[in-house]
Amino acid sequence: MPAPKIHHLNCASMHPIARPLLEHRNQLADYRGLVCHCLLIESEAGLILVDTGLGLADVTEGRSRLGSMFSHVVRPALRREETARHQIEALGFSANDVRHIVLTHLDVDHAGGIGDFPQARVHVLASEYAAAQARRHIKERDRYRPAQWAHSDDWARYEASGERWHGFDAVRAIIDSDPDILLVPMTGHTRGHAAIAVRAPAGWLLHAGDAYFHRDEMADRPCCPLGLKVFENLMAVDNRDRRRNQARLRELALGASDVSVFCSHDPVELAHASKRTPR
């Protein structure tokens, strides 16, 4: 079976406060804010989205839908042309061509476009779905916005069970057990955070979601700009688990020649991935 065609999309530009703390000093002159790196996969099962970024209703309703904390601190650009639906239609497809949405997690900036694809089944770890529904912890009351998925009733929820894959446990094929798309539990940032592995022509792409925020965290001598480091720690529901999974992810990024690792919000990683991934 041929590897699927893959498009790298930015589905939300963001310009958080404390700009000087979000990039290393020697790279700050080129800093243009954060992105929301999503994947569009052309497969035999139809179009598949990995994360959705912000959706059309988010752009229209703004703070009333996204929440004051996210709007004030993260400061999304709210551009209609950056929504996944607009970009997919610009490629010549329709919203109904998107048959599956695979989520790293349900944070506001990752799940806002669910409602733009009414024919899609949404795939997520069961623990993430439960956390988003309950919103028990103070960190979960702002990060999850139920209005973003209120009208979606086709969910596939997975327990953290499966096989080992490149040092990670409980990895499983999803979407009719397609071996080209894997759900990789990588908890810590949220209770049910996952990475998504996609087989590409030159090897595996591993979308690590918010398991890290800056490319240098995957370096041999890892480092992270202070602002992003503080944000990672503040937003994690389990920092010990997050750090443990990040360390395992770093080992994979440094040691596996057939796996390309990238996170959701690093604009440099998005630019590099877009250039090197055949479509």
Side-chain angles (χ1 to χ4, degrees):
M1 182 184 301
K5 293 182 180 179
I6 300 167
H7 305 265
H8 293 265
L9 310 178
N10 172 24
C11 295
S13 293
M14 296 167 279
H15 305 279
I17 59 175
R19 177 182 180 273
L21 302 177
L22 302 179
E23 184 54 277
H24 298 307
R25 184 175 299 178
N26 63 338
Q27 298 171 328
L28 194 56
D30 296 323
Y31 177 74
R32 296 294 181 268
L34 305 181
V35 298
C36 188
H37 189 164
C38 302
L39 300 179
L40 176 66
I41 305 165
E42 298 182 42
S43 78
E44 293 185 354
L47 296 183
I48 301 167
L49 263 176
V50 176
D51 282 354
T52 70
L54 299 181
L56 292 171
D58 299 320
V59 171
T60 301
E61 299 174 29
R63 180 175 297 207
S64 64
R65 180 174 165 97
L66 299 173
S68 57
M69 181 65 73
F70 176 80
S71 299
H72 174 69
V73 175
V74 180
R75 301 193 300 183
L78 300 181
R79 298 177 182 133
R80 179 183 177 89
E81 62 270 23
E82 287 187 345
T83 62
R85 178 160 177 168
H86 182 92
Q87 294 185 69
I88 286 168
E89 290 175 345
L91 288 169
F93 301 106
S94 76
N96 289 341
D97 291 327
V98 177
R99 307 303 300 181
H100 300 275
I101 296 170
V102 186
L103 295 174
T104 60
H105 59 306
L106 276 159
D107 271 358
V108 57
D109 52 331
H110 295 257
I114 289 175
D116 294 336
F117 305 100
Q119 302 302 315
R121 166 169 273 198
V122 184
H123 302 257
V124 67
L125 279 176
S127 53
E128 182 69 4
Y129 182 87
Q133 293 291 334
R135 300 168 74 202
R136 292 192 180 96
H137 194 278
I138 188 171
K139 292 182 180 180
E140 295 169 332
R141 291 170 198 158
D142 281 323
R143 76 191 312 159
Y144 297 129
R145 310 301 293 182
Q148 291 181 323
W149 62 82
H151 303 295
S152 179
D153 57 5
D154 189 1
W155 293 80
R157 288 165 276 176
Y158 301 92
E159 299 300 326
S161 61
E163 307 296 326
R164 285 184 60 81
W165 182 83
H166 286 283
F168 287 93
D169 300 319
V171 177
R172 63 188 304 160
I174 56 175
I175 307 178
D176 301 324
S177 299
D178 184 348
D180 288 339
I181 302 177
L182 307 177
L183 190 66
V184 185
M186 205 170 291
T187 53
H189 178 68
T190 65
R191 299 180 197 277
H193 185 277
I196 313 300
V198 181
R199 195 191 305 272
W204 287 95
L205 303 180
L206 185 61
H207 190 312
D210 287 1
Y212 69 98
F213 278 73
H214 192 277
R215 56 199 172 277
D216 286 347
E217 293 181 273
M218 295 293 103
D220 189 35
R221 295 183 177 180
C223 60
C224 183
L226 178 61
L228 293 179
K229 185 175 182 179
V230 169
F231 186 79
E232 285 181 345
N233 281 278
L234 285 175
M235 292 305 297
V237 297
D238 187 334
N239 259 312
R240 182 178 179 180
D241 198 27
R242 179 188 66 81
R243 287 191 291 266
R244 178 180 60 85
N245 275 316
Q246 191 181 100
R248 295 165 70 190
L249 188 62
R250 186 180 305 111
E251 290 178 8
L252 174 59
L254 292 171
S257 60
D258 63 334
V259 182
S260 177
V261 178
F262 54 86
C263 67
S264 291
H265 299 305
D266 190 314
V268 174
E269 287 189 335
L270 174 61
H272 288 172
S274 299
K275 290 178 181 178
R276 68 173 176 256
T277 302
R279 298 183 179 183

